[in-house]
Amino acid sequence: MAYDTIITGGEVITADGRKKADVAIKGEKIAAVKKGLASAEKNGATIVDAKGKYVIPGGLDVHVHLELPFCGTVSSDDFNTGTRAAARGGVTTVIDFAIPYGEDSLEDAYRKWREKADPKTCVDYCFHMAITKWDKHGPEMAKLVEMGCPTFKEFMIYESEGWQSDDRAIFSALEKCKELGAMLLMHAESSRVLDELIARHHTPELMKKHGAVLHGITRPNYIEAEAIQRAVKWAEVTGGRLYIVHMSTADGADIIRDAQSRGVDVYAETCAQYLVLDDSLFAGPDGHLFACCPQIKKKSDQQRLWKGLKRGEVCVVSTDTCSFTREQKAMWNGDWTKIPMGMPGLETLLPIVYTHGVLKEKITLRQFVEKCCTNPAKLMGLYPQKGTIEKGSDADIVIIDPKKKLKVDHETMETNTDWSPYQDWKLAGFAEKTFSRGRMIVDDYKFCGENGWGKWLPRKKAGKL
Ligand code: URP
Ligand code: ZN
Ligand code: ZN
């Protein structure tokens, strides 16, 4: 067979293991993975030399918010800059959250999000559908599954955004997910107690004294733990599949492990920031920049989350990318409740997990691929089209030089922010080359793709591990 491209001499890393092999691409697909392809079957194919490099599946960031109206502004990375950043970081699939506003139906939200994404997106993409009004959106779920969206999201907080779901909505959505082969993603934080803690601290004296540190003070671990515990109970009694998003606490990881051992159909992701940042940052001069939701926690939480990744109760690393510029973050003006919550992350997801996980021996190389590529593809119903390097899979492939470190600098990044949570950090694991469906979109660490190249990915069902 005449191939278009052969990646030769690298070490292919998948969730199943590592092997020396060449990878041949024909059109948009992987056509062969075996030794000696480049010498036996060159036939005019472009040869890409990956000697001494890792060849991994393109990453999936299944938790991003691009161009999101939120906290009185709009997140600064849109579907263009956000997915250029994704490509440069080795992420070839993103899943955003389509959120209905006002009286929007789920279908309205879906169409509005497609209008934002379709012309601009540089890597493949799809959406989770946010349920914000159970009585209106619940009856639409079957239709959205038919339209290719079998993953739904509910938020336990954000009453003022109009996004909040109560226990009735959570219980009922889990029942519906079971019926439809869908999965419910949950932002788990205990709303009423959180509101109470915020109200108690929302005084001029305490704000002057503590500034952005109030984020940590008003979000103790039990705010997340109680909410996860409750959601897990509703999953247990309904049999609906549950996925806890952006889990930030050790307590959460303990609850998930316990539930999984009882056979509850529950999964948990954490985000790169919860693995490497801690709440001492809030006390710094730029502390407010690090406000996200849930807030970053303690070093002991980081350690427990890494352990959960190693053992398996934490099965995905994503970013919850929701970027804001310094000017947007300055809206806080000393009041921590007014900081637009979120951080950039897409461009640094794989480098953070590789550098701080694999190189520091917290997880193996195989687990790195499992958590950033294969598990998210499986759970979100995209496997084996995405998340692996196999004959027949999409040719979404990333070449990483295991030793090459780059210094993070927001000035030279694709991400549309004028700061980075990881400014000046030296990270390995950036994509030297990224292929999206066979096309090279990053070469020599620079984006060389095209707006609108990304394809919408319809999905049939949510998956399991
Ligand atoms: O701070 C964050 N994560 N902003 C986005 C909204 C959310 O809760 O995921
Ligand atoms: Zn959330
Ligand atoms: Zn989020």
Side-chain angles (χ1 to χ4, degrees), residues 101-175:
Y101 286 81
E103 289 311 307
D104 283 353
S105 64
L106 288 184
E107 212 176 322
D108 293 333
Y110 168 90
R111 302 228 172 278
K112 287 182 182 174
W113 247 255
R114 287 289 307 261
E115 274 166 29
K116 287 200 272 189
D118 288 1
K120 294 186 187 170
T121 307
C122 307
V123 300
D124 291 354
Y125 63 99
C126 49
F127 311 139
H128 311 291
M129 299 305 308
I131 294 166
T132 54
K133 290 188 171 65
W134 170 252
D135 290 318
K136 188 176 175 78
H137 300 147
E140 279 190 88
M141 286 171 71
K143 173 99 193 285
L144 268 293
V145 173
E146 266 172 40
M147 289 163 65
C149 302
T151 47
F152 297 88
K153 166 87 176 281
E154 287 185 333
F155 301 90
M156 286 185 174
I157 63 163
Y158 299 136
E159 190 172 20
S160 59
E161 299 281 349
W163 298 354
Q164 189 175 42
S165 288
D166 61 13
D167 282 350
R168 171 176 165 264
I170 295 165
F171 180 87
S172 308
L174 281 162
E175 284 181 324

Side-chain angles (χ1 to χ4, degrees), residues 63 65 70 158 187 246 292-293 320 322 341-342:
H63 190 153
H65 303 279
F70 183 51
Y158 299 136
H187 178 130
H246 51 45
C292 57
C293 185
D320 197 7
C322 192
M341 289 184 290

Side-chain angles (χ1 to χ4, degrees), residues 447-461:
F447 180 75
C448 57
E450 173 192 341
N451 300 351
W453 166 258
K455 254 197 195 160
W456 164 255
L457 295 168
R459 298 170 288 148
K460 288 197 171 65
K461 277 179 179 242

Side-chain angles (χ1 to χ4, degrees), residues 7 9-13 48-59 87-91 349-355 358-359 365 368-369 372-373 389 397-406 427-435 442 445:
I7 301 170
E11 189 173 0
V12 176
I13 319 290
V48 175
D49 183 7
K51 195 157 179 283
K53 316 269 167 73
Y54 295 143
V55 180
I56 69 167
R88 192 167 169 267
V91 168
L349 169 64
L350 266 52
I352 291 277
V353 181
Y354 177 73
T355 307
V358 180
L359 296 184
L365 195 54
F368 161 63
V369 169
C372 295
C373 316
I389 297 191
I397 298 169
V398 176
I399 300 178
I400 285 174
D401 181 333
K403 292 194 202 82
K404 169 109 175 171
K405 289 200 172 173
L406 299 184
L427 297 176
F430 278 100
E432 181 189 298
K433 289 185 173 29
T434 302
F435 293 85
V442 170
Y445 302 97

Side-chain angles (χ1 to χ4, degrees), residues 294-310:
Q295 298 310 321
I296 45 180
K297 302 292 193 301
K298 310 252 178 256
K299 282 208 175 353
S300 52
D301 294 295
Q302 292 174 10
Q303 281 156 16
R304 178 64 184 88
L305 292 168
W306 280 117
K307 187 170 159 192
L309 285 167
K310 178 102 195 157

Side-chain angles (χ1 to χ4, degrees), residues 94-317:
V94 297
I95 312 189
D96 203 290
F97 294 80
I99 305 183
Y101 286 81
E103 289 311 307
D104 283 353
S105 64
L106 288 184
E107 212 176 322
D108 293 333
Y110 168 90
R111 302 228 172 278
K112 287 182 182 174
W113 247 255
R114 287 289 307 261
E115 274 166 29
K116 287 200 272 189
D118 288 1
K120 294 186 187 170
T121 307
C122 307
V123 300
D124 291 354
Y125 63 99
C126 49
F127 311 139
H128 311 291
M129 299 305 308
I131 294 166
T132 54
K133 290 188 171 65
W134 170 252
D135 290 318
K136 188 176 175 78
H137 300 147
E140 279 190 88
M141 286 171 71
K143 173 99 193 285
L144 268 293
V145 173
E146 266 172 40
M147 289 163 65
C149 302
T151 47
F152 297 88
K153 166 87 176 281
E154 287 185 333
F155 301 90
M156 286 185 174
I157 63 163
Y158 299 136
E159 190 172 20
S160 59
E161 299 281 349
W163 298 354
Q164 189 175 42
S165 288
D166 61 13
D167 282 350
R168 171 176 165 264
I170 295 165
F171 180 87
S172 308
L174 281 162
E175 284 181 324
K176 201 75 186 162
C177 283
K178 182 166 171 63
E179 183 190 317
L180 297 172
M183 181 162 76
L184 185 64
L185 282 66
M186 184 61 56
H187 178 130
E189 286 190 293
S190 199
S191 158
R192 293 289 168 246
V193 179
L194 173 59
D195 289 348
E196 176 63 17
L197 294 182
I198 290 173
R200 285 183 195 177
H201 292 83
H202 202 237
T203 67
E205 299 75 38
L206 288 175
M207 287 197 277
K208 190 156 186 273
K209 182 169 174 203
H210 296 297
V213 176
L214 282 166
H215 264 305
I217 295 174
T218 53
R219 270 183 158 88
N221 284 19
Y222 59 75
I223 292 294
E224 184 175 85
E226 185 280 331
I228 292 179
Q229 184 71 65
R230 185 151 37 93
V232 162
K233 179 50 81 182
W234 300 145
E236 188 163 18
V237 296
T238 58
R241 186 165 304 155
L242 176 68
Y243 178 96
I244 303 294
V245 296
H246 51 45
M247 191 169 71
S248 62
T249 58
D251 316 56
D254 290 344
I255 294 165
I256 296 297
R257 183 166 174 82
D258 205 50
Q260 287 172 342
S261 73
R262 296 199 305 277
V264 184
D265 200 0
V266 60
Y267 298 96
E269 74 172 11
T270 190
C271 302
Q273 57 271 29
Y274 303 119
L275 293 167
V276 293
L277 303 179
D278 69 78
D279 64 2
S280 61
L281 284 164
F282 292 134
D286 276 343
H288 66 290
L289 296 180
F290 295 86
C292 57
C293 185
Q295 298 310 321
I296 45 180
K297 302 292 193 301
K298 310 252 178 256
K299 282 208 175 353
S300 52
D301 294 295
Q302 292 174 10
Q303 281 156 16
R304 178 64 184 88
L305 292 168
W306 280 117
K307 187 170 159 192
L309 285 167
K310 178 102 195 157
R311 290 200 304 209
E313 62 265 29
V314 186
C315 58
V316 170
V317 188

